[in-house]
Every structure is written in C-alpha cells, then in structure tokens.
Amino acid sequence: MVAMWHNHRYHRQSLYHQYRPSPSSVTSALVEFQVPRKSSKHVRGVLSLSNASSTCGSMKELMQLHAQAIKLGLSEDRSVVSQILFFCAISDAGSLHYATLLFYSLHQHLLDSFLWNTMIRAHAKSDAPQSALHLFDEMLSQGSVPPDKFTFPFLLKACARLQALHEGEQLHSHVFKSGLAFDLVVRNALINVYAQIGMLESARRVFDRNPQRDSVSWNSLIGGYLKHGHLEEAGRLFSQMPHEKTLFSWNIMISGYAKSGQPELAKSLLRQLPSEFSNTNSPISLTCLISLYVEAGEVEAARRVFDSMGEKDIVCWSCMISGYVRSGNYMEALRLFKEMQQVEENVKPDKVLLVSIVSACAHLGALEQGKWLHAFIRKKLPSASREGEISCALIDMYSKCGSIKDAVEVFHEMVTKDIMAWNSILCGLGINGYGNDVGMYFSEMLKSGIMPDRITFVGILGACSHAGLVDDGQRYFQLMKTYGIEPDIKHYGCMIDLLGRAGLVSEAEALVQTMHMRPNVEIWGALLGACRKHGNVPIAERAARNLIELDPEHSACHVLLSNVYAAAGQWDNARNVRLKMKAKGVKRVPGCSLIESKGNVYEFVVGDVSHPRAGEIYSMLQEMIERLKLANHVLDTSQVLFDVGDDEREVALGYHSEKLALALGLIDTCPKDQIRIVKNLRVCGDCHSTMKLVSRIYEREIILRDRNRFHHFKEGSCSCMDYW
Ligand code: ZN
Ligand code: ZN
C-alpha cells in the first residue's frame, strides 16, 4: 500500500523534514509570554471543546494559553492538544505553520485520527495542497492510525485543486480497500475530483454505480459538465434532478452558463428561479442569491437583495463588491468597501475580496487608495501581503498607477516568486516603458529556474514595443520558439505595434500576411494606428477595410482612418468617413478621464460641467491655455476632423476630458504632488503636447495612463518619447 503511493509527483521535501521536531521549536516560540498564574481547571475550561475558537481571537492569545498549558503539565493532554491544534490549523486567525510545528513535536501515541484529519484538512485548503498528500504518505507509513471516512474527502479536495489525476486514482483504490466505497460523502468527493479534472466518464461511473445520491452528488457532476463545456448534458441533468433543487444547484447552473459565455441562458434560467428563494430570510441563501444575480450580470438586482439584509458577513460583502468590480463599476466597488470598513468593524476582509478591491484601484489609477489598502493588508493579513495572489494584484495596481518603484518593492518582498509573479513585474515594467530592465528581469527569472510562458512573452514584447526596442523585440519573438511557444494573436499584436510605432509600417503589414491565424480587430487596429502616426494612406485603407469587415460598428477605426486622411491633408476623404460613420449610426466611444485627488476619484467626459468646482476648473483651463500660448504653443488641430472652423476646433480640443482632469489636478492637489490621470482612449496629440508643456511651466510631474500605455511627463518631455 505504501509502496504504490510512493511514486507520486509531489515527492519533494516532505513536511516532516521541514518541520523536524527539535526540543525547542514550540517552547522557544512561547518563551516571550509572561504567564499569569492560572489553574489547570481554568486552562481546561478555556480550551474546552465548545469554546476554544470563540475564546481565542488571535494567535497571541492562543499562545498564551498554550504556554499556560505547558506550565501546568497539560502539554500531553489529548483534549487540550486537540483544541490548540484545531484552532491553529483551521481558524482564520490561526497559523498553519504553528500547527505543523506542534503536530510534529507531539508523541506518536497522541496522534489519533482527529489530529491527522485536522492537519490533512488544513493543508488541503492551504496554498500548498500537495502537503496534504505528503501527510497522508506519512500517516500510511506510520501505520498506527488507518485513514477513515473523514480523511478521504479532504485529500480528494486537494487532488481536485491540484488537478492531480494520478493521485486521485490512487486515492480511489485506497477508498476501495478501506471499505469506504459506499460512504456517500466519500463518493461525492470522488465524483467531484473526477468532474473537476475533466474525467467525466469516471465521474459518471462513480455516480451511476450506486443509486444512493444526494443533491451534492448531482451538483458535483453537473459542475464538472459545465466546467468542461458540456452545457447540454449539464442542462439535461439539472432538469432531471430528482431532489429538491437547492439554491446552490441553481447557482452552479447559472454561474456555469455565465462563465461559459452564455449570459442569455444564465438570465433565462434566473427568471425560472422559484420565488421561495427570493423570499428567504436565511443569510446563507440570500448571499447565494446575491452571487447568483452577480453571475448573471444583474448587479442592480443583487444590490437590492444586499440592501435588504440586516447583518452581513464577509462572504456577502465580498460577493457584492466583486460583483461591482466584475461589471466594471470600480467606483461603486471602492465606495462599498469603505462603507464596509465603517459599518462592520468585525468583518475581516478575505484574500478574494482584497484581490478584487486592489484591482479596482488599478483600473481607477487610484494610487492613494491603493497605498492605503497595501498598508491595511500588511496590518490585517501580514503573511498574505507577501504571498502569491495578493502580491501580484499589488504589483499590477502599482504598475497601472504608474508607481513602478512600489511595484518592484512588492515583487522583491515576495517569499516565493512563481511564474505569475514574474509575469506581473515584467508586464508592469513594460507598460511603464522600462523596456531596458525587462531583459535583466527575464534572465534573472530563467536563472531562478522558472520557465517563461505565453504571458511572459506578451509582457516582454509589449515592453519592447513601448520602449521602441525593435531589435530586442524581434530577438524575443524568435526566442519564443526555443521554449516551444507558438506565437498567438496577442504576440503578433505586440510585434505589429512594435514595428508600426517604429515607422516600419510595410514590415508590419508583411508580418500580418505571414500569420497562420485570422487577424483580429486588435491586429488591424494596431496597423491602422501605426498608419495614423506615420501617415501611410494606402496601408491605412487596406487595414480599415479589413477592420470594418470584422466589426462594422468599430468606432475607433472610423476615427483613426479619418485621422489618417486629415493628417495627409485629404480633408474630403476625412469628411466622407465621418459622414459614413454618422449615416451608419456608429457611436464614438466617449472619452473619459479619471483623476484621484485627496482620496476621491473624479470622472470627466468631454466638456463636463458636473463637478462641483466646474467654474474654477474652467477658469484654470483658460489660464492654462493663455500661459501655453505665451510659451508659443499652437494647438494641434490636425486630429479633430469635424468640418468646423478653427475656433470651434480649438474649443473642442480645449475641453478634452484629460485636460479638465488636469485642471482639477492643478487646483486641487498640493503644489509638489504628482498629478495622475487615467484615460479610457488613446491620448490625442494636442493633449499630449499640452501635458508636456504644463509639466514644465507649472513644474508638475504628470502621469497619464491612456488605453495603451503610460506617459510620465516631467520638465517638458514625456517618457514615451512621443512614441505612442
Ligand atoms: Zn485631447
Ligand atoms: Zn507620452
């Protein structure tokens, strides 16, 4: 039995060797505590089964209790040890590291199935689920405690998370030998592991073999079919479910449709939801209902349920806030997060919520709030602030807020750097124009033994493109094949951008022709953008024709093409495109800029007058234009293509949303502060040169993130070297 288990993939260093018991390991951790005199009855009382986790709010309190327990000679008391270990391993305020230290310091005769199962369970849901399999290994080789029906479900969950089929199958045969093949909970876990890994036939076999099933069995199987794209089969099973469908079953089905890109199916199923679910009073059901509306894209309906609830737990807040993030309403997400901080002092944000709120800051370019969040995470979840997902979200946030120094700092603080971490920093350096540093980071990454993947190269090629490093870009593009990565449409997009920006428009078009897949909207758009910059009318016309064929509603295409004509002085053609666009009813995506000032985020559109300080903003704008004129700045009107006189054109340029944001920045921030603006479209030539001049005349650093890249304006020049 032990032998067959031994050849599994995760046979690296076992936990035992990492946590080799030393006489001092646990006690030395406890030395710092001044132990007040308490009776053994008191300690037992505090640690009694019913209230261990409710009495201890933190590891500090737990360690105090533990120190007392040792002093009173209870360190070998089974119920005391079980309670301490359970708290450390399972509670949110616990520490799995401490639990593991404690576990390995215990005498073998104390290790019962409860302790083994607690450890396996905790490791299975940790960031390193393979440790659960190591523990199982050790449990088998010690041989004193056989696995039971509580052991397998946790192990199988670990396999599902690791997508470890081989280990899952081995566990299946262990289940068989242990005589647990008929236990419903164990069988459900087996169905789930096969379904999650995509071995749907195996899942189905376990499901069919025994008629005893509950809604969990059905949900697991349906979930597997949905995850692997068999929507029809999932739908059929869902309608056949003999059990009362729980709200959870509806949730799986609806979110499955939504995730498979079938929002209409999701919405139509939502309309069939039995009314008793919407009239429930149970907080769990209401939270489930919120997530269901969020999945189906009905954020407003979700909010109504949310508002109707009394006390809300973290899952509920998290669900609603990430709903706003996913639907792109970042401002409301941030607002609600702040409200949560004020209203619910006891609710502790979890990782999922923090990742999504950090990403909201990234989208909004809200650096101040992002920094506040970072400090908050350091304080509330100190260990998580240096781990995978949150760190990557922070790197991304700092990069997108133009604060690459902070991004690099977070990266270097990370305990283990996986491929996601390297990709985040490479992409961050790229969009901020640090193309030269990317090569250094890339070779460091290789040295540390991490193999690049597709995203790595998207980051690197993007970096080369933003920094105008044509030769480097071409070298990396060739290098991809060495790592067995065929360039996909994103890599081609970067290359075309790279060549196009450098003025190699014909080379870019030639590269499009060599692509072994159909060019998409982004590819033609990049080519068209290059033509706008370098004025190549014939290629622009070809690119635009292809682009319109793919997406007749593509407004940017019409705008770019008319810009190309306008720049070449072909005003009739420019006007024609404009007229066609109007006739077809193509709507221009309205430009919109965000600026963060004093912890608030403000939004501006062209000619916006909605800001409470609109009057001051417009006088500032007027002053700015006057001072720029004195500096001999002539408005660049080649980019506005309305058939209007120059005066009106000037006005239209003057009121671009990024200029309004800039004016607010000048009056609302302190004189030495950076001004940071986020724009949803590409910045126009006039706004770009305005920003350059303002950075010199007003002695302000301005950081503008437009749709494609960053512009750091300082002392009259821009980091993009006018290359965007
Ligand atoms: Zn502009
Ligand atoms: Zn620039």
Side-chain angles (χ1 to χ4, degrees):
M1 191 146 101
V2 177
M4 75 161 277
W5 184 255
H6 260 152
N7 53 0
H8 64 68
R9 274 190 288 152
Y10 305 102
H11 200 78
R12 275 178 275 157
Q13 204 185 14
S14 80
L15 277 176
Y16 178 78
H17 290 290
Q18 289 173 44
Y19 288 92
R20 200 191 304 267
S22 71
S24 58
S25 52
V26 171
T27 33
S28 68
L30 295 170
V31 163
E32 58 176 293
F33 290 106
Q34 298 268 319
V35 185
R37 281 213 158 272
K38 291 272 163 66
S39 70
S40 77
K41 201 176 154 203
H42 173 82
V43 173
R44 266 179 207 279
V46 173
L47 286 171
S48 78
L49 268 167
S50 58
N51 62 12
S53 42
S54 58
T55 318
C56 288
S58 66
M59 272 307 287
K60 200 174 158 192
E61 285 169 40
L62 188 276
M63 283 163 92
Q64 276 171 348
L65 272 173
H66 192 192
Q68 286 170 12
I70 292 171
K71 250 196 162 170
L72 295 165
L74 296 173
S75 60
E76 299 281 284
D77 182 292
R78 195 184 293 274
S79 87
V80 169
V81 168
S82 300
Q83 278 314 301
I84 293 177
L85 192 90
F86 187 82
F87 175 86
C88 299
I90 305 294
S91 158
D92 281 343
S95 153
L96 186 53
H97 177 78
Y98 192 81
T100 314
L101 273 177
L102 175 60
F103 181 75
Y104 282 116
S105 72
L106 294 173
H107 278 291
Q108 261 202 34
H109 74 268
L110 276 173
L111 303 182
D112 56 8
S113 62
F114 175 79
L115 291 182
W116 277 107
N117 289 341
T118 303
M119 289 304 289
I120 288 176
R121 171 180 167 191
H123 280 279
K125 68 172 189 150
S126 75
D127 285 340
Q130 64 271 27
S131 311
L133 300 177
H134 289 313
L135 274 164
F136 183 56
D137 229 359
E138 289 164 22
M139 185 180 185
L140 291 182
S141 50
Q142 288 199 6
S144 47
V145 181
D148 60 17
K149 64 176 182 175
F150 298 107
T151 319
F152 289 108
F154 299 132
L155 287 170
L156 288 164
K157 251 180 213 156
C159 290
R161 287 184 58 200
L162 291 162
Q163 296 280 300
L165 176 62
H166 181 62
E167 287 75 7
E169 285 173 338
Q170 286 188 337
L171 283 170
H172 194 166
S173 72
H174 275 292
V175 165
F176 217 75
K177 285 179 204 153
S178 314
L180 293 167
F182 292 98
D183 183 87
L184 184 60
V185 178
V186 175
R187 258 194 17 253
N188 283 345
L190 277 168
I191 295 173
N192 183 56
V193 73
Y194 284 126
Q196 288 301 312
I197 293 175
M199 301 296 290
L200 296 165
E201 277 176 33
S202 304
R204 193 59 182 256
R205 240 185 325 238
V206 182
F207 180 86
D208 286 338
R209 197 169 295 150
N210 196 314
Q212 195 208 352
R213 302 172 192 129
D214 61 5
S215 62
V216 179
S217 331
W218 285 84
N219 290 343
S220 303
L221 191 62
I222 292 174
Y225 279 113
L226 286 167
K227 183 177 172 190
H228 297 282
H230 303 276
L231 302 189
E232 266 177 48
E233 186 57 22
R236 215 169 53 75
L237 280 168
F238 184 71
S239 61
Q240 282 174 357
M241 256 178 101
H243 304 273
E244 201 124 318
K245 292 185 183 77
T246 60
L247 194 51
F248 189 62
S249 319
W250 286 88
N251 200 340
I252 288 181
M253 202 59 212
I254 290 176
S255 69
Y257 277 147
K259 283 183 188 127
S260 316
Q262 301 285 350
E264 289 315 312
L265 284 177
K267 273 183 196 162
S268 90
L269 198 60
L270 186 59
R271 283 192 286 274
Q272 299 166 34
L273 184 75
S275 59
E276 73 248 30
F277 289 129
S278 356
N279 301 328
T280 165
N281 276 324
S282 118
I284 295 177
S285 304
L286 286 173
T287 304
C288 191
L289 195 63
I290 292 175
S291 109
L292 210 140
Y293 282 125
V294 164
E295 290 291 351
E298 307 271 6
V299 186
E300 289 317 307
R303 182 58 185 262
R304 279 194 294 277
V305 179
F306 181 83
D307 286 339
S308 75
M309 288 174 74
E311 225 172 83
K312 302 167 186 104
D313 65 359
I314 179 62
V315 184
C316 182
W317 283 96
S318 181
C319 201
M320 193 64 238
I321 293 173
S322 22
Y324 279 119
V325 172
R326 277 167 49 190
S327 64
N329 193 344
Y330 307 113
M331 304 250 264
E332 189 55 27
L334 265 186
R335 216 195 51 67
L336 203 60
F337 182 74
K338 278 188 192 162
E339 192 181 313
M340 176 183 125
Q341 296 303 306
Q342 286 157 5
V343 181
E344 314 265 350
E345 282 168 5
N346 303 324
V347 172
K348 197 174 138 195
D350 59 7
K351 275 192 228 174
V352 184
L353 174 58
L354 289 168
V355 165
S356 90
I357 203 78
V358 169
S359 83
C361 290
H363 280 281
L364 292 169
L367 181 61
E368 271 174 56
Q369 302 191 48
K371 277 192 169 161
W372 177 85
L373 261 174
H374 190 183
F376 177 86
I377 295 168
R378 274 203 181 120
K379 207 171 107 196
K380 299 267 167 147
L381 288 168
S383 58
S385 74
R386 293 158 64 209
E387 276 168 17
E389 255 185 299
I390 289 197
S391 291
C392 290
L394 286 168
I395 293 174
D396 185 56
M397 181 273 293
Y398 281 125
S399 307
K400 288 195 172 138
C401 290
S403 189
I404 193 70
K405 237 177 65 194
D406 291 304
V408 168
E409 208 169 283
V410 174
F411 176 74
H412 287 299
E413 275 176 9
M414 281 181 81
V415 186
T416 42
K417 299 178 178 79
D418 58 2
I419 181 73
M420 239 175 78
W422 285 100
N423 286 347
S424 308
I425 194 70
L426 285 169
C427 293
L429 288 165
I431 51 173
N432 281 280
Y434 290 83
N436 290 316
D437 294 85
V438 162
M440 201 179 73
Y441 275 84
F442 181 61
S443 49
E444 247 180 72
M445 166 180 162
L446 295 178
K447 254 187 251 157
S448 73
I450 304 261
M451 292 295 272
D453 64 5
R454 337 192 122 260
I455 303 171
T456 316
F457 282 102
V458 172
I460 293 179
L461 294 176
C464 294
S465 156
H466 285 145
L469 304 170
V470 180
D471 294 341
D472 286 359
Q474 276 171 330
R475 197 163 50 76
Y476 284 118
F477 191 63
Q478 294 306 323
L479 193 66
M480 288 177 67
K481 297 199 180 102
T482 324
Y483 291 99
I485 303 168
E486 270 300 309
D488 64 25
I489 202 120
K490 285 215 175 94
H491 303 110
Y492 277 109
C494 293
M495 284 309 287
I496 284 146
D497 210 53
L498 171 71
L499 295 168
R501 280 163 202 269
L504 304 166
V505 185
S506 318
E507 283 84 345
E509 194 189 26
L511 184 63
V512 175
Q513 262 129 31
T514 67
M515 282 170 62
H516 51 79
M517 74 260 323
R518 208 168 160 227
N520 63 5
V521 173
E522 276 75 36
I523 299 280
W524 292 120
L527 191 58
L528 190 52
C531 297
R532 180 197 63 94
K533 180 83 186 148
H534 299 284
N536 190 322
V537 175
I539 296 184
E541 285 174 335
R542 282 198 289 276
R545 207 177 312 125
N546 281 297
L547 191 47
I548 290 167
E549 208 174 280
L550 282 175
D551 181 7
E553 304 282 295
H554 200 282
S555 67
C557 162
H558 294 87
V559 175
L560 276 173
L561 183 60
S562 57
N563 279 347
V564 173
Y565 285 131
Q570 303 181 10
W571 288 97
D572 284 349
N573 284 333
R575 196 171 303 123
N576 277 340
V577 175
R578 230 10 242 192
L579 289 174
K580 254 191 220 157
M581 194 174 152
K582 236 185 212 163
K584 275 194 196 155
V586 178
K587 282 206 191 84
R588 237 190 121 154
V589 179
C592 151
S593 296
L594 298 169
I595 180 168
E596 188 193 37
S597 171
K598 302 199 173 116
N600 291 310
V601 177
Y602 300 102
E603 191 175 20
F604 288 95
V605 293
V606 186
D608 204 320
V609 288
S610 64
H611 193 276
R613 298 177 70 180
E616 290 168 75
I617 291 171
Y618 280 87
S619 7
M620 184 69 218
L621 204 58
Q622 216 42 52
E623 186 206 308
M624 222 163 75
I625 290 168
E626 294 304 318
R627 279 182 76 173
L628 294 186
K629 267 189 190 151
L630 284 176
N632 273 333
H633 173 61
V634 181
L635 289 183
D636 174 6
T637 51
S638 68
Q639 306 214 1
V640 238
L641 8 106
F642 310 88
D643 42 353
V644 289
D646 270 345
D647 289 346
E648 280 175 79
R649 241 185 266 161
E650 258 184 42
V651 169
L653 280 168
Y655 289 5
H656 269 180
S657 61
E658 56 268 53
K659 280 195 190 141
L660 294 174
L662 177 62
L664 176 69
L666 287 173
I667 56 177
D668 204 35
T669 58
C670 303
K672 288 266 181 292
D673 282 358
Q674 279 182 344
I675 296 175
R676 283 181 313 275
I677 299 168
V678 176
K679 167 96 197 261
N680 65 336
L681 305 173
R682 198 189 281 251
V683 59
C684 83
D686 182 66
C687 288
H688 194 268
S689 48
T690 302
M691 302 250 170
K692 284 204 292 189
L693 279 170
V694 167
S695 76
R696 196 187 72 210
I697 296 170
Y698 289 81
E699 294 174 22
R700 283 291 194 117
E701 263 182 65
I702 304 166
I703 297 178
L704 171 74
R705 180 176 105 210
D706 71 5
R707 205 189 50 188
N708 292 9
R709 63 161 302 138
F710 266 101
H711 305 269
H712 291 239
F713 299 95
K714 202 180 167 183
E715 290 159 12
S717 58
C718 178
S719 62
C720 75
M721 298 175 291
D722 301 332
Y723 216 66
W724 81 96

